[in-house]
Amino acid sequence: RFPIVSAVDIGGVTVARNDVVRDDDPTNNVPDSIFSKLGIQLHRRDKHPIGIIKNAIYDYFESNYAKKFETFEDLSPIVTTKQNFDDVLVPADHVSRSLNDTYYVDSQTVLRCHTSAHQAELLRDGHRRFLVTGDVYRRDSIDSTHYPVFHQMEGFCVFSPEDWNESGKDSTLYAAEDLKKCLEGLARHLFGAVEMRWVDTYFPFTEPSFELEIYFKEDWLEVLGCGVTEQKILKQSGLENNVAWAFGLGLERLAMVLFDIPDIRLFWSDDERFTSQFGKGELGVKFKPFSKYPPCYKDISFWISESFTENNFCEVVRGIAGDLVEEVKLIDSFTNKKGMTSHCYRIVFRSMERSLTDEEVNDLQSKVRDEVQRKLNVELR
Ligand code: FA5
Ligand code: MG
């Protein structure tokens, strides 16, 4: 299904497949389907929804801030665990560090799981206000708003005492208010009137921390995380007398709201019926679905073992069905008297581009059954 290429170009640097996908290294969990996404950089295509929204966000910052935000969009997505985790204070035992959540190239190198991986480095290099856009990678669940490769834009802004002193507010409150005002303004710039709400949350690198949700297709959709930067991060760059805010935008999520795109897989489609609907700088477009092909539902039940995880299961399904899988959902779970736990998952197969035949779907499902059994140490029921 995935053309196996031997090398990709990441910002002018050639990276060999064998450097990223290593069958001999137990800490390597990067499949070919993920390797093949490296270097594509949808955010640098001016006629692609991700590129269009990036440019619209740049416009917002240019027209609303006298002091310029520097932009970076070509930093390599292959980073060290220090950059991705330690530099932003992610605790040693945090789940995001696990092989279950993150793609590891080797024990000390990962595909960045967020653009926050570049914060500390850019601060150390003397940058004080910047936007970093890039592709990020995560092992995750499968549905219309989650994809293992997506795009984020990091924003970072450092303030000096003179900025908050005249406001009469303490520095943290000043930064938190400025941050919320900035992002609410961005949402209005992109969407006009839209229903949104702030939710308190936790990130290791900010305090306080917030997420912004937007009402979309009858549900709340989380579009970004943000907060006031932990003082320890600023101190690493000699900025102990400053305060800063930071945010990480989910560009697919914002583009889904802006263009009314119903499924995150569409961003990777090269079907002309999708790509031809978007033009450089065109923000007013509403996506017209070319057709909704029928879904096909297949259930699979098995006794799990202790090592079972949903992300591993989703990766097996995705490895076989690629973008023909629309959703994977746990629909039943129980534990019997012997203490064995059974899971039943419903897999929704649907192509964005054509009708699938029964034969094709049966074949996919049978491959899923074989591979789940072979790779995940479960007992099919
Ligand atoms: C982060 O990644 C933080 N680094 C954001 C941040 C930056 C917080 C700076 C504070 C300061 P989170 O894991 O919530 O946070 O992801 C940010 C956004 O990415 C989400 O709100 C969502 O819009 C998007 N996102 C997350 N996972 C996926 C996925 N699998 N597919 C598509 N978009 C996703
Ligand atoms: Mg989140």
Side-chain angles (χ1 to χ4, degrees):
R1 268 203 46 79
F2 303 103
I4 299 191
V5 287
S6 59
V8 294
D9 184 292
I10 304 176
V13 178
T14 302
V15 177
R17 175 179 175 274
N18 294 344
D19 292 334
V20 179
V21 184
R22 287 192 215 129
D23 302 320
D24 58 334
D25 182 344
T27 57
N28 184 289
N29 60 355
V30 183
D32 277 310
S33 56
I34 293 296
F35 173 72
S36 68
K37 297 287 198 288
L38 286 165
I40 292 183
Q41 299 192 312
L42 294 178
H43 58 285
R44 301 183 81 193
R45 299 185 183 178
D46 287 338
K47 295 180 198 157
H48 188 281
I50 299 296
I52 299 170
I53 201 141
K54 178 204 73 182
N55 288 327
I57 299 167
Y58 283 179
D59 286 346
Y60 171 75
F61 279 93
E62 259 164 46
S63 48
N64 288 279
Y65 288 85
K67 283 197 219 152
K68 203 173 157 51
F69 278 77
E70 291 176 277
T71 58
F72 300 86
E73 46 182 60
D74 198 16
L75 302 176
S76 174
I78 303 173
V79 301
T80 61
T81 50
K82 178 175 179 297
Q83 291 173 291
N84 200 73
F85 301 121
D86 304 287
D87 278 356
V88 282
L89 316 177
V90 176
D93 58 354
H94 195 268
V95 284
S96 66
R97 290 190 186 244
S98 70
L99 280 156
N100 187 53
D101 287 37
T102 292
Y103 289 108
Y104 276 79
V105 173
D106 60 38
S107 64
Q108 269 151 106
T109 315
V110 298
L111 303 183
R112 67 183 164 209
C113 73
H114 54 181
T115 44
S116 302
H118 301 289
Q119 279 188 9
E121 193 181 20
L122 290 172
L123 279 177
R124 276 197 291 271
D125 288 347
H127 304 287
R128 298 292 176 257
R129 302 158 76 86
F130 51 83
L131 303 170
V132 182
T133 310
D135 36 319
V136 301
Y137 299 77
R138 283 188 203 177
R139 300 181 89 239
D140 215 329
S141 43
I142 298 182
D143 63 30
S144 64
T145 62
H146 289 83
Y147 203 78
V149 188
F150 60 101
H151 297 77
Q152 288 188 340
M153 187 191 292
E154 193 84 2
F156 205 96
C157 184
V158 178
F159 298 95
S160 313
E162 51 272 27
D163 294 318
W164 68 82
N165 275 346
E166 59 187 287
S167 75
K169 289 171 193 145
D170 88 79
S171 58
T172 304
L173 181 66
Y174 173 83
E177 285 185 2
D178 189 82
L179 171 65
K180 285 186 167 176
K181 204 179 76 200
C182 168
L183 292 169
E184 285 168 13
L186 174 63
R188 272 195 304 279
H189 171 79
L190 293 174
F191 309 128
V194 74
E195 243 188 294
M196 51 185 163
R197 69 179 186 195
W198 288 105
V199 179
D200 291 328
T201 189
Y202 163 81
F203 295 108
F205 30 94
T206 49
E207 172 65 31
S209 306
F210 316 99
E211 284 173 341
L212 183 67
E213 297 186 340
I214 292 186
Y215 201 67
F216 177 64
K217 301 212 179 287
E218 274 128 54
D219 206 357
W220 291 100
L221 178 65
E222 181 199 318
V223 296
L224 66 89
C226 67
V228 179
T229 297
E230 283 287 358
Q231 211 54 35
K232 195 169 169 200
I233 293 177
L234 295 176
K235 214 169 152 193
Q236 289 167 354
S237 291
L239 296 170
E240 50 274 315
N241 297 321
N242 300 72
V243 64
W245 57 235
F247 61 70
L249 312 177
L251 294 185
E252 275 79 359
R253 302 273 179 92
L254 292 172
M256 287 174 87
V257 175
L258 179 61
F259 299 114
D260 217 6
I261 295 173
D263 191 298
I264 196 164
R265 290 174 295 167
L266 281 162
F267 292 102
W268 297 94
S269 171
D270 42 30
D271 189 320
E272 227 187 87
R273 291 171 296 176
F274 177 77
T275 55
S276 67
Q277 294 195 32
F278 305 95
K280 183 176 178 184
E282 291 175 16
L283 297 176
V285 173
K286 291 293 169 213
F287 173 65
K288 287 183 230 49
F290 16 101
S291 173
K292 189 108 173 154
Y293 298 96
C296 186
Y297 303 93
K298 293 283 172 188
D299 293 351
I300 179 170
S301 302
F302 42 77
W303 299 107
I304 62 167
S305 62
E306 242 169 54
S307 63
F308 177 83
T309 72
E310 197 163 301
N311 282 354
N312 286 345
F313 176 61
C314 285
E315 187 128 283
V316 166
V317 178
R318 197 119 35 202
I320 290 161
D323 284 353
L324 300 181
V325 56
E326 178 168 285
E327 190 173 355
V328 170
K329 199 172 167 184
L330 182 66
I331 56 170
D332 188 41
S333 169
F334 68 89
T335 303
N336 73 5
K337 283 186 199 143
K338 290 188 203 153
M340 293 161 75
T341 298
S342 162
H343 280 183
C344 178
Y345 284 94
R346 175 154 298 163
I347 305 176
V348 184
F349 295 99
R350 188 205 313 251
S351 165
M352 310 297 300
E353 286 149 16
R354 61 194 175 82
S355 283
L356 300 175
T357 64
D358 286 346
E359 201 189 352
E360 197 175 0
V361 173
N362 288 337
D363 185 47
L364 289 172
Q365 181 71 359
S366 129
K367 288 199 174 110
V368 167
R369 290 178 66 86
D370 288 349
E371 192 130 327
V372 157
Q373 190 154 241
R374 199 167 59 76
K375 282 196 176 161
L376 299 185
N377 191 26
V378 304
E379 195 188 318
L380 292 178
R381 301 184 53 216

